[in-house]
Amino acid sequence: MARTNNAELNDYERQRQENIAKNKALFQQLQLDAASTGIGPKKASSKPASSAGQKRKRPEKRIKEEIAPRRTSSRLRGIVADSEVAQQKAEEERVAFVEAEKAKRQRVSGDLNLGDVIVNGGQWNQSGNFLSRFGPANPGERTFSKQDVKNTSDKELRALRERISGLSLWKDIEPARIKITPERIYFMGFHPSADKPLVFAGDKMGNLGLFDGSQDLVEIKAEDDDEEDGIENPVVSSFKIHTRTISAFQFAPNDPAALYSASYDSSIRKLDLNKGVAVEVWAPPELDADEPLSGVEISRSDPNMLFFTSLEGRFGMHDLRTSSKDSQSLMQLSEKKIGGFTLHPIHSHLVATASLDRCLKLWDLRKISGKGASRLPVLVGEHESKLSVSHAAFNSAGQVATASYDDTVKIYDFSKAGSWKAGHTLSEEEMKPRTVIPHNNQTGRWVTILRAQWQMQPQDGVQRFCIGNMNRFVDVYTSKGEQLAQLGGDGISAVPAVAQFHPTQDWIAAGTASGKLCLWM
């Protein structure tokens, strides 16, 4: 019995060992197959295991890169593009806005009645006559004091200084209460009448303001307990006779009721103060032509001849007895902007121009050569400054005053012009200024350019001019460079940059960038 049990055990053990060997062989085969397909376990590193004292280094995390789907159009994906409608509407609105702005700046043809173009709800009595006596830098720091007025041994000069320095603001009213134009003033002038001060001003948007300095201010009684008695504001009228900046205007020498104005809208208009109508007397033949005008003047020897300049450096002449279409082509006198020009008051064939090319040039219109746009008058002479020359103005004695950005006012003497023959030229020495006055002319972007403006017919015979002061004053000088006055006053809160003398009276008006009027009488 024992032998039989041992035999059965040996057979069982042998069978078990064979099964173990088969399983081991099968497991090894499965490992080989898995390794060949790349899914089996990695081989153990051959590097020795780290010691127990060292920290095991963590494996770096790998950022899984997301693959964005390929872009397709909204139309292919079946999405309605609502923004296309909005974009189309925005584009239509933009085009409409551009056209509207262009229309505002475009010159308006035809006659304008002042009753139709009055600004800001003002009033105007159409039956009235403006010319009738009874009709409708360092602010405040003076450079010319009361002591300077007396500081001279010349009795006549001292008396003149005291007289001009004694001018005061109109009826002690602060300039802030006299807003003569809605926008920045670019040009200002008096009506030549000596009966009463009539001040005109042209602004940036083509408005012409009018202020009657002879009006009386009425006392206003308080209606409520909270109100105080006071004085009513002065009456001011403003008319939009141009669509862009009024750069200059002048009263006709033979008709004090006619005011000729030039504008950046490329037109010149004649305003009849008696009829209240502004008539276009010159403009380019094409309505969309852009020829912004910088100056206008009428010959005193021939009131039918109109002269003007443009910001494109061109000069034009027009006979008022003909239509603007019959006007001769403009002459290119400068490669750059002509800021202003002036005619000799007696010898009107002589023209002085001031331009951005830093030159004062004197021309003789009696001798013009060339044809068409290449026509040019004879250049009598020129003088170059260090920087741009802003303006030029003749006085009745044949002297020219210029203001330039080199911070000087220069005075040139052409009093011998009556003896010059056609084609006469001046030497470099003869073109030099006789007097140079230091003066701050750095107006910057927001203040209108300073210009030296003469009193055309001083009753005492002393040639003098006025010019704005960046310290919020107006300076007055003689042609010899002697300062007569520095006019100011309470309530002047901006630079009175645009200053002008009355032709005969000791009245001075000046305008600011906010359209306010300072009037000294």
Side-chain angles (χ1 to χ4, degrees):
M1 178 64 75
R3 186 178 179 183
T4 303
N5 291 338
N6 290 335
E8 291 177 356
L9 182 61
N10 292 336
D11 294 338
Y12 172 79
E13 182 65 19
R14 186 173 57 253
Q15 184 66 37
R16 188 179 71 83
Q17 293 297 332
E18 289 177 0
N19 289 339
I20 292 174
K22 288 179 181 181
N23 291 336
K24 187 176 180 180
L26 178 61
F27 181 75
Q28 291 178 350
Q29 183 63 40
L30 290 174
Q31 284 184 327
L32 293 175
D33 293 340
S36 63
T37 57
I39 61 175
K42 295 181 179 180
K43 294 182 179 181
S45 175
S46 59
K47 295 181 181 180
S50 58
S51 63
Q54 291 181 345
K55 293 184 179 179
R56 188 174 181 180
K57 194 174 183 180
R58 293 182 180 179
E60 296 182 1
K61 294 183 179 180
R62 293 187 179 181
I63 301 175
K64 186 177 181 181
E65 183 178 356
E66 296 184 358
I67 301 176
R70 181 176 298 175
R71 296 180 60 186
T72 58
S73 68
S74 298
R75 179 178 58 81
L76 294 178
R77 288 185 288 169
I79 300 175
V80 179
D82 295 334
S83 60
E84 292 182 3
V85 178
Q87 289 177 1
Q88 183 177 0
K89 183 178 179 181
E91 179 63 19
E92 291 175 354
E93 291 177 351
R94 187 192 68 80
V95 172
F97 175 79
V98 172
E99 292 298 325
E101 289 298 311
K102 182 179 180 182
K104 289 181 183 179
R105 296 165 60 88
Q106 191 173 42
R107 172 171 50 86
V108 178
S109 297
D111 300 346
L112 297 176
N113 293 310
L114 295 188
D116 299 330
V117 294
I118 193 165
V119 179
N120 290 343
Q123 297 180 354
W124 177 59
N125 182 5
Q126 296 187 20
S127 62
N129 182 355
F130 291 137
L131 307 184
S132 171
R133 181 186 296 270
F134 306 101
N138 288 314
E141 181 180 343
R142 285 186 173 273
T143 57
F144 188 79
S145 64
K146 293 181 179 179
Q147 184 62 36
D148 294 318
V149 172
K150 302 177 181 179
N151 190 20
T152 178
S153 58
D154 189 329
K155 294 183 179 180
E156 294 183 358
L157 177 60
R158 180 174 179 175
L160 182 57
R161 281 179 171 176
E162 290 177 345
R163 190 172 87 239
I164 301 299
S165 296
L167 301 179
S168 59
L169 287 174
W170 180 77
K171 295 187 178 181
D172 295 326
I173 295 296
E174 292 186 357
R177 294 181 59 188
I178 314 177
K179 189 172 177 61
I180 191 171
T181 60
E183 300 290 339
R184 186 209 298 192
I185 297 175
Y186 270 69
F187 198 84
M188 180 164 283
F190 281 92
H191 185 274
S193 172
D195 293 335
K196 63 178 182 178
L198 288 176
V199 184
F200 292 78
D203 77 359
K204 181 179 180 180
M205 302 306 294
N207 302 297
L208 180 70
L210 167 61
F211 175 75
D212 184 354
S214 67
Q215 61 183 281
D216 293 325
L217 299 181
V218 180
E219 292 187 2
I220 303 174
K221 296 296 182 181
E223 297 180 356
D224 301 324
D225 294 337
D226 295 336
E227 295 181 358
E228 297 180 358
D229 294 346
I231 304 296
E232 71 174 353
N233 288 324
V235 177
V236 176
S237 299
S238 184
F239 311 94
K240 190 172 180 62
I241 62 173
H242 289 280
T243 59
R244 295 173 65 184
T245 302
I246 296 178
S247 55
F249 56 75
Q250 183 196 13
F251 285 94
N254 63 335
D255 185 4
L259 181 145
Y260 290 85
S261 58
S263 170
Y264 287 1
D265 68 6
S266 309
S267 71
I268 299 174
R269 284 187 174 274
K270 173 188 175 183
L271 173 61
D272 190 322
L273 296 178
N274 290 328
K275 297 179 180 179
V277 178
V279 180
E280 185 178 272
V281 296
W282 186 89
E286 303 81 11
L287 185 61
D288 58 349
D290 191 23
E291 190 71 43
L293 304 181
S294 59
V296 62
E297 198 165 334
I298 299 175
S299 170
R300 289 172 172 79
S301 60
D302 186 358
N304 292 313
M305 288 303 300
L306 180 75
F307 302 87
F308 56 92
T309 53
S310 79
L311 298 183
E312 304 299 328
R314 289 186 275 270
F315 175 80
M317 300 183 295
H318 175 62
D319 191 330
L320 293 172
R321 293 165 294 188
T322 64
S323 67
S324 59
K325 296 180 180 179
D326 299 328
S327 183
Q328 296 178 340
S329 60
L330 306 185
M331 294 180 282
Q332 191 75 44
L333 299 188
S334 173
E335 294 295 329
K336 297 183 178 181
K337 162 187 171 182
I338 294 180
F341 81 104
T342 179
L343 296 176
H344 194 294
I346 300 174
H347 311 291
S348 56
H349 56 270
L350 291 176
V351 181
T353 59
S355 55
L356 197 61
D357 61 6
R358 303 181 296 175
C359 289
L360 167 74
K361 296 180 181 180
L362 190 64
W363 308 85
D364 191 342
L365 299 177
R366 292 176 297 181
K367 191 173 182 180
I368 299 177
S369 58
K371 295 182 180 180
S374 61
R375 296 164 58 246
L376 280 178
V378 171
L379 179 62
V380 178
E382 64 180 314
H383 179 264
E384 184 175 346
S385 296
K386 294 180 180 179
L387 294 173
S388 169
V389 183
S390 306
H391 183 65
F394 260 116
N395 64 10
S396 55
Q399 297 170 309
V400 172
T402 65
S404 58
Y405 272 95
D406 62 3
D407 288 337
T408 63
V409 175
K410 302 181 183 69
I411 301 175
Y412 303 79
D413 187 5
F414 303 124
S415 56
K416 297 181 180 179
S419 62
W420 299 345
K421 296 181 179 180
H424 180 80
T425 58
L426 298 177
S427 65
E428 183 177 344
E429 184 64 28
E430 291 174 312
M431 281 298 301
K432 287 184 177 180
R434 297 294 180 263
T435 303
V436 178
I437 305 171
H439 195 270
N440 178 14
N441 298 326
Q442 304 302 315
T443 55
R445 181 179 179 183
W446 306 110
V447 177
T448 304
I449 293 173
L450 304 183
R451 299 179 177 185
Q453 302 284 19
W454 297 97
Q455 185 176 30
M456 291 307 299
Q457 300 171 11
Q459 299 303 291
D460 55 11
V462 178
Q463 299 293 335
R464 49 183 173 267
F465 67 88
C466 61
I467 184 171
N469 183 302
M470 292 301 294
N471 291 357
R472 299 180 183 176
F473 299 101
V474 169
D475 295 324
V476 183
Y477 296 90
T478 68
S479 60
K480 297 179 182 179
E482 301 162 325
Q483 186 159 4
L484 299 179
Q486 190 168 83
L487 302 177
D490 295 334
I492 301 179
S493 58
V495 178
V498 185
Q500 184 67 269
F501 253 116
H502 185 276
T504 58
Q505 306 300 308
D506 288 337
W507 302 336
I508 296 177
T512 70
S514 57
K516 307 296 177 58
L517 169 65
C518 305
L519 176 58
W520 290 274
M521 297 177 62

